Amino acid sequence: MGALRVWRWISETWRPGFGAGVRRRDAGFGTEARRRPQPQASSKSKDPVEDQPFPGLLRTENLGVEELVDVLKAAVVDQKGRPGELTLLSVLPQLSQALGLGHQELQIVRAPGKEASGLVLLSGCPQTASRLQKFFAHSRRSQRPTATYCAITDGIPEPSEGTVSVALRLERVDGIDLAVPVASPSRKDILEGVKRTFSHFHVMATGCGCALVQLQPLTVFPSQLQVHMALQLCPVLGDHTYAARVGTVLGQRFLWPATTTKPQTQVLDEALLKRLRLSPSQVAQMPLHLHLQRLLLPGTRSRDPPSELLAPVPSYFSRTLQCLRLSQK
């Protein structure tokens, strides 16, 4: 299939130690998260989650070039075919040297959004990249999802399963491009960049007023899944961009107008903060709990069934599952 590399992306950074976690079956994120061994409590605290509210979160601004290269090198989870030059962000020359690669340029074929975690698919073979893109495009036209995300939402979607369908456009607000819903788009709107978006959702588990949700986008649009969950009045935890569109009056949720609502730190009620063992000031550092968990790839031959890549959730995601006592139905 040519030079193909898959990485695990964790909230604007790369996480090592993922290779052993790749599996060809259901990841079982709700159950396995609770079974993972927990770090020993220190003498100062009997509860490790209080000392590390977002374990495993690694910010690139805290790394030097050499450290980032080491993390990137360790984050390769799958490789097929001959290697090519790994062209990624600003550490490309150093990363190529560290991996011992040639000079063939890689390109990103599939990746989660900037703030989401999960699988990143790269290819150094133009023919392979083209074949993969054709596979993904054909799957979208056939309404067959190839990407499966998991998310933890503030609130429980009702009904527990369905499809979100909404037209979206990008609007620049204070230097930020935001996805804004468009009601009854005209043909002119479509020509000017408005896109009809679709996503399947399925509630996998509930607990403490939150939900573990499986999401399968059928279209590609920036921040599509975050906007879709906000429209369900259940924003994704750690969504400091679109959660502000959901307001509450006397315990009832409603949508603020998207065109007049600016991004701000997500507001969580006192009971949820207590359950998550977070202070109000820590919420601003909460990462987006949206994870690209599974990708389908075409088989080696046209008659072969698609293959599957799985990524376990990050440590902070597992911690949140534990705090909320989320368990699969």
Side-chain angles (χ1 to χ4, degrees):
M1 187 181 284
L4 179 65
R5 296 179 186 275
V6 185
W7 306 72
R8 179 171 63 158
W9 178 254
I10 304 293
S11 295
E12 302 187 45
T13 188
W14 299 87
R15 286 292 310 278
F18 169 66
V22 180
R23 297 182 293 280
R24 299 285 178 177
R25 57 181 177 82
D26 179 36
F29 36 75
T31 302
E32 290 190 8
R34 294 194 305 279
R35 291 179 179 173
R36 291 178 182 173
Q38 298 301 305
Q40 296 294 325
S42 67
S43 58
K44 295 182 179 180
S45 174
K46 296 183 180 181
D47 196 339
V49 297
E50 292 185 354
D51 296 332
Q52 296 184 343
F54 309 120
L57 183 62
L58 185 61
R59 299 289 187 182
T60 53
E61 60 265 26
N62 297 328
L63 299 176
V65 172
E66 292 183 359
E67 291 85 356
L68 181 56
V69 168
D70 291 339
V71 174
L72 288 169
K73 181 180 178 181
V76 176
V77 301
D78 192 31
Q79 178 177 326
K80 296 181 177 70
R82 294 173 300 175
E85 182 181 1
L86 186 60
T87 59
L88 189 64
L89 304 179
S90 61
V91 296
L92 308 183
Q94 295 90 338
L95 182 59
S96 296
Q97 293 177 8
L99 294 175
L101 305 177
H103 300 288
Q104 188 177 5
E105 183 175 330
L106 281 170
Q107 66 182 69
I108 296 177
V109 180
R110 196 68 181 266
K114 180 180 178 182
E115 296 180 353
S117 61
L119 291 163
V120 173
L121 183 63
L122 307 174
S123 177
C125 172
Q127 291 79 12
T128 297
S130 176
R131 179 168 175 256
L132 289 168
Q133 294 290 11
K134 288 179 180 178
F135 170 76
F136 293 137
H138 178 72
S139 297
R140 285 194 295 270
R141 288 193 298 269
S142 304
Q143 297 290 287
R144 294 197 304 266
T146 55
T148 300
Y149 290 75
C150 56
I152 301 179
T153 60
D154 175 19
I156 302 173
E158 290 290 346
S160 61
E161 186 170 0
T163 300
V164 180
S165 173
V166 62
L168 296 176
R169 63 179 168 84
L170 289 178
E171 180 174 307
R172 197 155 187 84
V173 179
D174 293 339
I176 303 174
D177 288 327
L178 299 178
V180 176
V182 178
S184 303
S186 65
R187 178 174 297 184
K188 181 181 178 182
D189 291 330
I190 299 299
L191 292 174
E192 292 179 350
V194 175
K195 183 172 182 177
R196 294 184 175 91
T197 61
F198 304 88
S199 297
H200 291 320
F201 69 91
H202 174 65
V203 175
M204 302 293 292
T206 61
C208 305
C210 295
L212 174 62
V213 182
Q214 181 186 81
L215 296 166
Q216 293 181 313
L218 298 175
T219 51
V220 177
F221 196 86
S223 305
Q224 172 179 319
L225 296 178
Q226 293 165 250
V227 175
H228 285 187
M229 285 295 93
L231 291 173
Q232 295 298 111
L233 302 179
C234 299
V236 178
L237 281 182
D239 184 355
H240 307 300
T241 303
Y242 298 100
R245 296 180 181 178
V246 180
T248 304
V249 173
L250 299 177
Q252 298 297 314
R253 296 191 175 190
F254 65 94
L255 286 173
W256 289 106
T259 55
T260 59
T261 305
K262 295 183 179 181
Q264 64 179 34
T265 299
Q266 188 174 27
V267 177
L268 302 177
D269 63 41
E270 185 176 348
L272 182 54
L273 286 176
K274 183 177 181 181
R275 176 63 65 180
L276 294 174
R277 304 185 185 186
L278 298 176
S279 66
S281 62
Q282 289 175 317
V283 176
Q285 282 74 50
M286 175 181 282
L288 184 68
H289 284 58
L290 178 64
H291 180 75
L292 177 50
Q293 184 190 30
R294 182 176 65 181
L295 271 178
L296 294 182
L297 302 180
T300 304
R301 297 172 298 184
S302 59
R303 297 180 181 179
D304 293 341
S307 60
E308 183 181 70
L309 287 170
L310 295 171
V313 298
S315 300
Y316 59 79
F317 201 113
S318 296
R319 176 194 182 273
T320 301
L321 290 174
Q322 294 172 334
C323 289
L324 298 176
R325 298 180 181 177
L326 287 170
S327 59
Q328 287 182 272
K329 295 180 180 178

mmCIF file of all heavy atoms in Angstrom, residues 10-11 53-55 57 59 115 236-240 266 282-290 314 316-317 320:
data_model
loop_
_atom_site.group_PDB
_atom_site.id
_atom_site.type_symbol
_atom_site.label_atom_id
_atom_site.label_comp_id
_atom_site.label_asym_id
_atom_site.label_seq_id
_atom_site.Cartn_x
_atom_site.Cartn_y
_atom_site.Cartn_z
ATOM 1 N N ILE A 10 -2.832 13.464 20.580
ATOM 2 C CA ILE A 10 -3.464 13.771 21.869
ATOM 3 C C ILE A 10 -3.467 15.281 22.075
ATOM 4 O O ILE A 10 -2.472 15.869 22.469
ATOM 5 C CB ILE A 10 -2.718 13.111 23.044
ATOM 6 C CG1 ILE A 10 -2.623 11.598 22.825
ATOM 7 C CG2 ILE A 10 -3.403 13.410 24.353
ATOM 8 C CD1 ILE A 10 -3.936 10.885 22.879
ATOM 9 N N SER A 11 -4.593 15.912 21.784
ATOM 10 C CA SER A 11 -4.796 17.331 22.095
ATOM 11 C C SER A 11 -3.584 18.196 21.784
ATOM 12 O O SER A 11 -2.901 18.689 22.678
ATOM 13 C CB SER A 11 -5.178 17.492 23.560
ATOM 14 O OG SER A 11 -6.419 16.904 23.808
ATOM 15 N N PRO A 53 -5.428 16.177 37.434
ATOM 16 C CA PRO A 53 -6.782 16.272 36.872
ATOM 17 C C PRO A 53 -6.850 15.860 35.408
ATOM 18 O O PRO A 53 -7.875 15.402 34.939
ATOM 19 C CB PRO A 53 -7.146 17.746 37.054
ATOM 20 C CG PRO A 53 -5.835 18.453 37.146
ATOM 21 C CD PRO A 53 -4.922 17.498 37.839
ATOM 22 N N PHE A 54 -5.739 16.028 34.650
ATOM 23 C CA PHE A 54 -5.725 15.650 33.242
ATOM 24 C C PHE A 54 -4.469 14.823 32.953
ATOM 25 O O PHE A 54 -3.569 15.266 32.236
ATOM 26 C CB PHE A 54 -5.773 16.890 32.350
ATOM 27 C CG PHE A 54 -6.879 17.835 32.713
ATOM 28 C CD1 PHE A 54 -6.605 19.131 33.100
ATOM 29 C CD2 PHE A 54 -8.201 17.421 32.697
ATOM 30 C CE1 PHE A 54 -7.626 20.007 33.447
ATOM 31 C CE2 PHE A 54 -9.234 18.289 33.042
ATOM 32 C CZ PHE A 54 -8.934 19.575 33.427
ATOM 33 N N PRO A 55 -4.369 13.618 33.511
ATOM 34 C CA PRO A 55 -3.164 12.797 33.319
ATOM 35 C C PRO A 55 -2.962 12.458 31.854
ATOM 36 O O PRO A 55 -3.909 12.214 31.114
ATOM 37 C CB PRO A 55 -3.460 11.540 34.142
ATOM 38 C CG PRO A 55 -4.951 11.471 34.214
ATOM 39 C CD PRO A 55 -5.410 12.904 34.281
ATOM 40 N N LEU A 57 -1.901 14.413 29.534
ATOM 41 C CA LEU A 57 -1.991 15.568 28.637
ATOM 42 C C LEU A 57 -0.616 16.203 28.530
ATOM 43 O O LEU A 57 -0.022 16.616 29.521
ATOM 44 C CB LEU A 57 -2.999 16.582 29.176
ATOM 45 C CG LEU A 57 -3.236 17.814 28.297
ATOM 46 C CD1 LEU A 57 -3.805 17.399 26.949
ATOM 47 C CD2 LEU A 57 -4.168 18.784 28.984
ATOM 48 N N ARG A 59 1.534 19.112 26.527
ATOM 49 C CA ARG A 59 1.458 20.312 25.692
ATOM 50 C C ARG A 59 2.755 20.501 24.915
ATOM 51 O O ARG A 59 3.848 20.426 25.475
ATOM 52 C CB ARG A 59 1.205 21.546 26.565
ATOM 53 C CG ARG A 59 -0.104 21.496 27.341
ATOM 54 C CD ARG A 59 -1.283 21.660 26.419
ATOM 55 N NE ARG A 59 -2.520 21.784 27.174
ATOM 56 C CZ ARG A 59 -3.711 21.892 26.633
ATOM 57 N NH1 ARG A 59 -3.828 21.891 25.323
ATOM 58 N NH2 ARG A 59 -4.795 22.000 27.386
ATOM 59 N N GLU A 115 -8.038 20.003 18.237
ATOM 60 C CA GLU A 115 -8.129 19.819 19.679
ATOM 61 C C GLU A 115 -8.505 18.392 20.073
ATOM 62 O O GLU A 115 -8.456 18.046 21.250
ATOM 63 C CB GLU A 115 -9.150 20.800 20.263
ATOM 64 C CG GLU A 115 -8.755 22.263 20.102
ATOM 65 C CD GLU A 115 -9.782 23.198 20.699
ATOM 66 O OE1 GLU A 115 -10.852 22.718 21.108
ATOM 67 O OE2 GLU A 115 -9.524 24.405 20.748
ATOM 68 N N VAL A 236 -19.621 18.649 24.170
ATOM 69 C CA VAL A 236 -18.532 17.768 24.558
ATOM 70 C C VAL A 236 -17.757 18.401 25.708
ATOM 71 O O VAL A 236 -17.519 19.615 25.715
ATOM 72 C CB VAL A 236 -17.594 17.512 23.357
ATOM 73 C CG1 VAL A 236 -16.421 16.618 23.765
ATOM 74 C CG2 VAL A 236 -18.371 16.889 22.206
ATOM 75 N N LEU A 237 -17.371 17.601 26.684
ATOM 76 C CA LEU A 237 -16.543 18.111 27.781
ATOM 77 C C LEU A 237 -15.235 18.657 27.228
ATOM 78 O O LEU A 237 -14.596 18.031 26.375
ATOM 79 C CB LEU A 237 -16.248 17.003 28.789
ATOM 80 C CG LEU A 237 -17.341 16.633 29.786
ATOM 81 C CD1 LEU A 237 -16.831 15.549 30.744
ATOM 82 C CD2 LEU A 237 -17.797 17.844 30.585
ATOM 83 N N GLY A 238 -14.834 19.809 27.724
ATOM 84 C CA GLY A 238 -13.611 20.438 27.260
ATOM 85 C C GLY A 238 -13.789 21.257 25.994
ATOM 86 O O GLY A 238 -12.804 21.750 25.436
ATOM 87 N N ASP A 239 -15.020 21.429 25.540
ATOM 88 C CA ASP A 239 -15.282 22.248 24.357
ATOM 89 C C ASP A 239 -15.438 23.704 24.799
ATOM 90 O O ASP A 239 -16.503 24.130 25.235
ATOM 91 C CB ASP A 239 -16.547 21.773 23.650
ATOM 92 C CG ASP A 239 -16.821 22.534 22.352
ATOM 93 O OD1 ASP A 239 -16.076 23.499 22.069
ATOM 94 O OD2 ASP A 239 -17.771 22.174 21.637
ATOM 95 N N HIS A 240 -14.355 24.450 24.680
ATOM 96 C CA HIS A 240 -14.362 25.854 25.084
ATOM 97 C C HIS A 240 -14.678 26.774 23.912
ATOM 98 O O HIS A 240 -14.461 27.990 24.009
ATOM 99 C CB HIS A 240 -13.011 26.216 25.706
ATOM 100 C CG HIS A 240 -12.591 25.293 26.819
ATOM 101 N ND1 HIS A 240 -13.338 25.134 27.964
ATOM 102 C CD2 HIS A 240 -11.530 24.452 26.929
ATOM 103 C CE1 HIS A 240 -12.740 24.245 28.748
ATOM 104 N NE2 HIS A 240 -11.650 23.825 28.144
ATOM 105 N N GLN A 266 -15.689 26.620 29.062
ATOM 106 C CA GLN A 266 -16.925 25.873 29.312
ATOM 107 C C GLN A 266 -17.363 26.022 30.772
ATOM 108 O O GLN A 266 -16.547 25.968 31.686
ATOM 109 C CB GLN A 266 -16.717 24.399 28.985
ATOM 110 C CG GLN A 266 -17.983 23.556 29.032
ATOM 111 C CD GLN A 266 -17.724 22.135 28.549
ATOM 112 O OE1 GLN A 266 -16.622 21.616 28.650
ATOM 113 N NE2 GLN A 266 -18.759 21.502 28.015
ATOM 114 N N GLN A 282 -9.521 25.172 37.061
ATOM 115 C CA GLN A 282 -8.927 24.085 36.285
ATOM 116 C C GLN A 282 -9.709 23.765 35.018
ATOM 117 O O GLN A 282 -9.178 23.125 34.106
ATOM 118 C CB GLN A 282 -8.814 22.819 37.151
ATOM 119 C CG GLN A 282 -7.753 22.904 38.234
ATOM 120 C CD GLN A 282 -7.758 21.675 39.129
ATOM 121 O OE1 GLN A 282 -8.820 21.193 39.534
ATOM 122 N NE2 GLN A 282 -6.581 21.156 39.432
ATOM 123 N N VAL A 283 -10.955 24.199 34.941
ATOM 124 C CA VAL A 283 -11.794 23.867 33.790
ATOM 125 C C VAL A 283 -11.200 24.414 32.501
ATOM 126 O O VAL A 283 -11.288 23.781 31.437
ATOM 127 C CB VAL A 283 -13.227 24.394 33.992
ATOM 128 C CG1 VAL A 283 -14.077 24.136 32.749
ATOM 129 C CG2 VAL A 283 -13.871 23.728 35.198
ATOM 130 N N ALA A 284 -10.582 25.584 32.564
ATOM 131 C CA ALA A 284 -10.006 26.187 31.361
ATOM 132 C C ALA A 284 -8.927 25.320 30.739
ATOM 133 O O ALA A 284 -8.667 25.407 29.531
ATOM 134 C CB ALA A 284 -9.439 27.573 31.684
ATOM 135 N N GLN A 285 -8.276 24.455 31.539
ATOM 136 C CA GLN A 285 -7.236 23.570 31.023
ATOM 137 C C GLN A 285 -7.789 22.208 30.607
ATOM 138 O O GLN A 285 -7.038 21.357 30.126
ATOM 139 C CB GLN A 285 -6.143 23.346 32.079
ATOM 140 C CG GLN A 285 -5.156 24.502 32.216
ATOM 141 C CD GLN A 285 -5.777 25.696 32.931
ATOM 142 O OE1 GLN A 285 -6.371 25.546 33.996
ATOM 143 N NE2 GLN A 285 -5.636 26.883 32.355
ATOM 144 N N MET A 286 -9.091 21.997 30.787
ATOM 145 C CA MET A 286 -9.657 20.696 30.428
ATOM 146 C C MET A 286 -9.553 20.465 28.926
ATOM 147 O O MET A 286 -10.010 21.278 28.126
ATOM 148 C CB MET A 286 -11.129 20.611 30.848
ATOM 149 C CG MET A 286 -11.820 19.328 30.401
ATOM 150 S SD MET A 286 -13.568 19.267 30.872
ATOM 151 C CE MET A 286 -13.405 18.844 32.608
ATOM 152 N N PRO A 287 -8.953 19.347 28.497
ATOM 153 C CA PRO A 287 -8.865 19.062 27.068
ATOM 154 C C PRO A 287 -10.193 18.580 26.509
ATOM 155 O O PRO A 287 -11.065 18.099 27.243
ATOM 156 C CB PRO A 287 -7.807 17.948 27.005
ATOM 157 C CG PRO A 287 -7.902 17.276 28.337
ATOM 158 C CD PRO A 287 -8.251 18.346 29.327
ATOM 159 N N LEU A 288 -10.342 18.714 25.215
ATOM 160 C CA LEU A 288 -11.551 18.264 24.540
ATOM 161 C C LEU A 288 -11.644 16.742 24.619
ATOM 162 O O LEU A 288 -10.726 16.034 24.215
ATOM 163 C CB LEU A 288 -11.532 18.712 23.086
ATOM 164 C CG LEU A 288 -12.773 18.396 22.262
ATOM 165 C CD1 LEU A 288 -13.958 19.218 22.739
ATOM 166 C CD2 LEU A 288 -12.501 18.657 20.778
ATOM 167 N N HIS A 289 -12.768 16.247 25.133
ATOM 168 C CA HIS A 289 -12.961 14.801 25.275
ATOM 169 C C HIS A 289 -13.636 14.250 24.018
ATOM 170 O O HIS A 289 -14.775 13.779 24.042
ATOM 171 C CB HIS A 289 -13.779 14.499 26.529
ATOM 172 C CG HIS A 289 -13.003 14.628 27.799
ATOM 173 N ND1 HIS A 289 -12.376 15.797 28.172
ATOM 174 C CD2 HIS A 289 -12.731 13.727 28.791
ATOM 175 C CE1 HIS A 289 -11.766 15.619 29.336
ATOM 176 N NE2 HIS A 289 -11.944 14.371 29.712
ATOM 177 N N LEU A 290 -12.900 14.337 22.922
ATOM 178 C CA LEU A 290 -13.357 13.837 21.626
ATOM 179 C C LEU A 290 -12.193 13.079 21.009
ATOM 180 O O LEU A 290 -11.119 13.648 20.790
ATOM 181 C CB LEU A 290 -13.787 14.999 20.723
ATOM 182 C CG LEU A 290 -14.257 14.631 19.315
ATOM 183 C CD1 LEU A 290 -15.524 13.790 19.357
ATOM 184 C CD2 LEU A 290 -14.489 15.894 18.485
ATOM 185 N N PRO A 314 -7.026 8.441 25.644
ATOM 186 C CA PRO A 314 -5.953 9.002 26.473
ATOM 187 C C PRO A 314 -6.225 8.800 27.964
ATOM 188 O O PRO A 314 -7.347 8.531 28.382
ATOM 189 C CB PRO A 314 -5.974 10.493 26.113
ATOM 190 C CG PRO A 314 -6.717 10.587 24.829
ATOM 191 C CD PRO A 314 -7.697 9.467 24.829
ATOM 192 N N TYR A 316 -6.363 11.005 30.384
ATOM 193 C CA TYR A 316 -7.316 11.941 30.987
ATOM 194 C C TYR A 316 -8.747 11.551 30.654
ATOM 195 O O TYR A 316 -9.668 11.778 31.436
ATOM 196 C CB TYR A 316 -7.025 13.386 30.556
ATOM 197 C CG TYR A 316 -7.081 13.648 29.074
ATOM 198 C CD1 TYR A 316 -8.295 13.815 28.418
ATOM 199 C CD2 TYR A 316 -5.920 13.752 28.328
ATOM 200 C CE1 TYR A 316 -8.342 14.049 27.054
ATOM 201 C CE2 TYR A 316 -5.961 13.988 26.967
ATOM 202 C CZ TYR A 316 -7.173 14.136 26.340
ATOM 203 O OH TYR A 316 -7.226 14.369 24.986
ATOM 204 N N PHE A 317 -8.945 10.952 29.481
ATOM 205 C CA PHE A 317 -10.264 10.481 29.086
ATOM 206 C C PHE A 317 -10.690 9.334 30.011
ATOM 207 O O PHE A 317 -11.833 9.294 30.496
ATOM 208 C CB PHE A 317 -10.200 10.007 27.624
ATOM 209 C CG PHE A 317 -11.520 9.953 26.913
ATOM 210 C CD1 PHE A 317 -11.794 10.813 25.855
ATOM 211 C CD2 PHE A 317 -12.481 9.029 27.270
ATOM 212 C CE1 PHE A 317 -13.000 10.753 25.177
ATOM 213 C CE2 PHE A 317 -13.690 8.954 26.596
ATOM 214 C CZ PHE A 317 -13.960 9.807 25.551
ATOM 215 N N THR A 320 -11.700 10.648 33.405
ATOM 216 C CA THR A 320 -13.044 11.223 33.405
ATOM 217 C C THR A 320 -14.106 10.129 33.427
ATOM 218 O O THR A 320 -15.123 10.249 34.120
ATOM 219 C CB THR A 320 -13.233 12.140 32.185
ATOM 220 O OG1 THR A 320 -12.244 13.179 32.223
ATOM 221 C CG2 THR A 320 -14.612 12.774 32.185
#
